[in-house]
Every structure is written in structure tokens, then in C-alpha cells.
Amino acid sequence: MPRVGIYVHWPFCQAKCPYCDFNSHVVRSVDQARWRQAYADEIARYGALLPDVEIESIFFGGGTPSLMEARTVAHIIDRIQRTWRFANDVEITLEANPTSTEADRFREYRAAGVNRVSVGIQALNDADLRRLGRLHSAAEARAAFDVARRTFDRASFDLIYARQHQSARAWKAELETALSLAADHLSLYQLTVEDGTAFGDRRAAGRLGGLPDEDLGADLWDITQDLTAAAGLPAYEVSNHARPGSESRHNLIYWTGGDYIGIGPGAHGRVTLDAIRHATEAPASPTAWLSAVASDARPDTWRALTRRDVAEERLMMGLRIAEGVPLSEVPFPPARTAPLEEMGLVERRDGRLRLTRSGRPILDAILRELLA
């Protein structure tokens, strides 16, 4: 029986962070009963399309899923379990903000069936948290993660680095503190400034000073790799670090070319139906998605992927992880990698193509070269 993951998107936040380009919306109130019903209806529709699969993972992302009522989370998990069979080791993750209010719900989420939480701490000092538009303090973040570790079998948290006015020394000290707090998994993202975000607008206006230059960015990357490896949490993906065996199984579905169902506004999926792999995408607008589901219309669009599409996507996602991609799945002759191998950016070993440590920070440039 094929194993699949399910991604559930909750599109609402208390505030829009200035670096965020995710599909998130700030509203005064949410009719959670209406949303519970919409998610249940979409689960039923996918259950009819894909009746013979086993659920390997569920991931509540957003937005801010820890703004969901615990009974909403419980209702969704229950409907999924009634529709499909759960794997014995099913992983059920919920993303959470570390405010005290949301941390108070952790025990209720555990009772609802969540067994892994990912906490968006982002920084461990109040000045940088304010710059990042976060609504919690560093003290609240530590307290919330302490609750998470006591409540869930598995707990991770996120930090953003390469922030404004951040020195190599400051990041080293902060990361050492983070590693002393970490359980078995840590996500460390370099700040990227995207067009269409508040940070993007500030940069365009010349009002986003203090970002690291290329040399400092490289130093911050090296510090990150060295300290996490020494602490026993090496990078298994470009931005994700874990003790062996504690990797995010849901995210590994994405990176290894597995199937996953996307439910909720803006959710993407990869679904194999009648031996054809499809890319699915739901409308980003919460109102449009709700209306489509309520009218019994299929809210998402499906696009059949060609063999070339599948191969290129497998390469783009698979090179993100340390183990790389099987050479048998690489969509071009091996000779194309030769110049990059000579530069020490990629390697062919044990039947796989993978990035070297030097290649990982410039993954996007390597992909442009390989897929040109």
C-alpha cells in the first residue's frame, strides 16, 4: 500500500512578519466551525480519489497553526484517520509560535494526536525579534520550548540568521545557546529578502541596512555547519539539522519525491493517480477556497507531470538533502556534472549525485547550471 503525507494549511496569523512571503492573512476573527467542516469535506473528497493509501505523516503548516483551536486539530486528525489507515509510526507535526497563549495549548494538541511540534523562535534576543516583527520575547520563546520538550516526544525550533547587523561572533554565541536548548532537530534558515514582502519594499527603498555581505554570509554558513556537526546535529538538508533518526519524515517526503496531499488555501500537493504523477495547487485566497469547497467544486487545479518534469523536480528537491539523488534518476548525461565536480561542488559516489559542503550554500546556482 503506497504511503503518503498530508499537508494541512492554516492561512491565518496574528501579524504579518516583514520577511514572510508565505500564504498568510491577518483577520479579526475566524469561524473555526466552518473551517473544520471545510477541511473535513476536502479530506472526504481526497479519500474518494485515493482510497488505498497509508498515511505516513500529517503536517499542520501556515500561517500560524497554533492559532487553531485544539478541537479543530483533533477533528482534522480524526477525519483523516477515519478516511485512511495510519502507519504505525505516523508523524503528526504542528507549527507553533512561542507566545505564552499558544504554549498553553500544547497539552491539548498532544491530546488531539499531535506528536511533534516545530516552534518558530527565529531569534534569541529581543532586539532582533522586534526587527523580525515577532510578537514574542526571547524569554517567552525559551519558556514555550521548555513546555514543548516536556509535552511532545519530538520538538524542533527554527532560527533565522544572516540578520541585520549580525556579526559572526554574535551568531556563534547565539547558535551555541540554541544547541544547548535543542532536542533532536533544529532548522536554521539564512534570511532571504523576497520581493513583495515588507523587507523587500524596505530594501528597494534603501531602508534595510546591515545585511551581511557575501564574505560574512559565507562565514555565518561555515559557523552553522561546524557547530551543529560538533553538537551531533549535522545538516541532513540545506537548512535542517538533526540527530540521526530524528529527521522530519514529512519534509523528507518532499525531498525524496514522495506523494503528499495538500489541503487548505494555497496548499500544493504531488499525487499519483492512475500511474500519472500530478501537481496540485489550491487557490491562495481563504475566501475563494472556502467557497469552492462549500459549493462541492474541486478547489484545486491538477496538472499532469511529464517524465521530464518529474526528473527535474526530483533533482531540484533531492540535491537539498545530504544523501543526494540516485544517478539513475538524474535527467541528463553524467558528463554534464564534470565541470562542477572539477570545482569541488558536486560529487558522484555510491551511485548517487550529491552536493559537497562547498556546493550546498550555492545550490540555486548549481541547479541553474545543471538544468540549463
Side-chain angles (χ1 to χ4, degrees):
M1 182 178 291
R3 299 182 80 177
V4 305
I6 297 182
Y7 174 76
V8 179
H9 190 77
W10 179 256
F12 304 113
C13 286
Q14 287 181 300
K16 186 77 171 180
C17 296
Y19 55 85
C20 178
D21 68 340
F22 294 161
N23 182 36
S24 60
H25 306 264
V26 179
V27 295
R28 287 186 178 179
S29 63
V30 176
D31 184 345
Q32 298 230 3
R34 186 182 180 193
W35 280 88
R36 283 194 292 273
Q37 185 60 54
Y39 287 126
D41 289 346
E42 268 297 89
I43 291 163
R45 183 175 71 83
Y46 267 103
L49 286 170
L50 303 163
D52 300 318
V53 299
E54 183 177 74
I55 303 305
E56 180 175 6
S57 67
I58 303 169
F59 194 101
F60 291 88
T64 307
S66 52
L67 296 177
M68 301 172 81
E69 294 175 355
R71 60 177 173 167
T72 300
V73 174
H75 187 73
I76 292 169
I77 294 172
D78 178 69
R79 287 305 179 101
I80 293 172
Q81 191 166 20
R82 289 173 181 268
T83 303
W84 294 286
R85 173 183 169 182
F86 272 11
N88 290 335
D89 59 348
V90 64
E91 176 189 88
I92 304 178
T93 301
L94 183 135
E95 290 183 331
N97 274 345
T99 66
S100 56
T101 301
E102 290 161 79
D104 286 344
R105 298 195 184 109
F106 283 176
R107 293 176 184 83
E108 296 177 43
Y109 293 139
R110 173 65 185 263
V114 174
N115 56 26
R116 180 177 182 272
V117 70
S118 178
V119 183
I121 291 177
Q122 314 309 2
L124 289 173
N125 68 78
D126 290 343
D128 281 358
L129 286 170
R130 286 192 293 272
R131 286 194 189 98
L132 292 171
R134 307 298 289 172
L135 300 180
H136 62 271
S137 67
E140 278 186 301
R142 291 183 185 222
F145 192 68
D146 188 49
V147 173
R149 289 194 64 171
R150 295 197 309 266
T151 306
F152 297 97
D153 295 332
R154 300 172 63 202
S156 177
F157 66 89
D158 300 356
L159 290 180
I160 294 172
Y161 69 101
R163 305 189 300 257
Q164 291 174 274
H165 310 292
Q166 185 179 45
S167 68
R169 178 180 294 182
W171 172 235
K172 182 176 184 294
E174 184 174 2
L175 183 54
E176 287 172 342
T177 300
L179 289 166
S180 74
L181 301 173
D184 57 10
H185 191 284
L186 192 58
S187 297
L188 303 170
Y189 302 103
Q190 285 205 37
L191 177 65
T192 56
V193 179
E194 305 287 353
D195 292 340
T197 65
F199 270 4
D201 293 342
R202 290 178 205 172
R203 181 178 62 182
R207 294 189 292 108
L208 194 69
L211 293 176
D213 60 20
E214 187 173 328
D215 288 341
L216 177 55
D219 290 343
L220 297 173
W221 166 270
D222 286 338
I223 289 167
T224 303
Q225 307 313 304
D226 291 342
L227 265 61
T228 54
L233 280 82
Y236 71 97
E237 189 268 347
V238 170
S239 301
N240 286 273
H241 305 256
R243 302 193 190 282
S246 296
E247 299 85 358
S248 166
R249 294 203 297 274
H250 183 83
N251 286 338
L252 281 171
I253 293 174
Y254 303 153
W255 299 323
T256 59
D259 275 13
Y260 56 97
I261 296 166
I263 293 174
H268 292 247
R270 293 294 182 271
V271 174
T272 301
L273 188 62
D274 298 329
I276 299 173
R277 187 167 167 86
H278 297 81
T280 71
E281 182 178 357
S285 163
T287 302
W289 185 82
L290 271 182
S291 298
V293 174
S295 64
D296 293 327
R298 187 149 101 182
D300 48 8
T301 58
W302 286 47
R303 178 174 63 88
L305 299 175
T306 66
R307 290 179 63 184
R308 177 77 181 188
D309 291 335
V310 172
E312 290 191 356
E313 190 171 89
R314 180 73 179 91
L315 182 74
M316 288 188 289
M317 300 302 286
L319 283 182
R320 297 190 64 87
I321 54 177
E323 67 179 33
V325 183
L327 289 170
S328 60
E329 298 181 22
V330 173
F332 45 73
R336 185 175 295 183
T337 67
L340 296 171
E341 290 180 78
E342 291 174 6
M343 289 186 283
L345 300 177
V346 304
E347 61 183 1
R348 285 180 284 171
R349 192 174 65 189
D350 301 327
R352 305 183 77 89
L353 177 69
R354 67 191 77 188
L355 299 180
T356 65
R357 172 167 166 154
S358 298
R360 284 202 302 273
I362 55 170
L363 169 62
D364 290 345
I366 290 171
L367 286 172
R368 285 195 296 270
E369 181 70 22
L370 292 176
L371 297 174

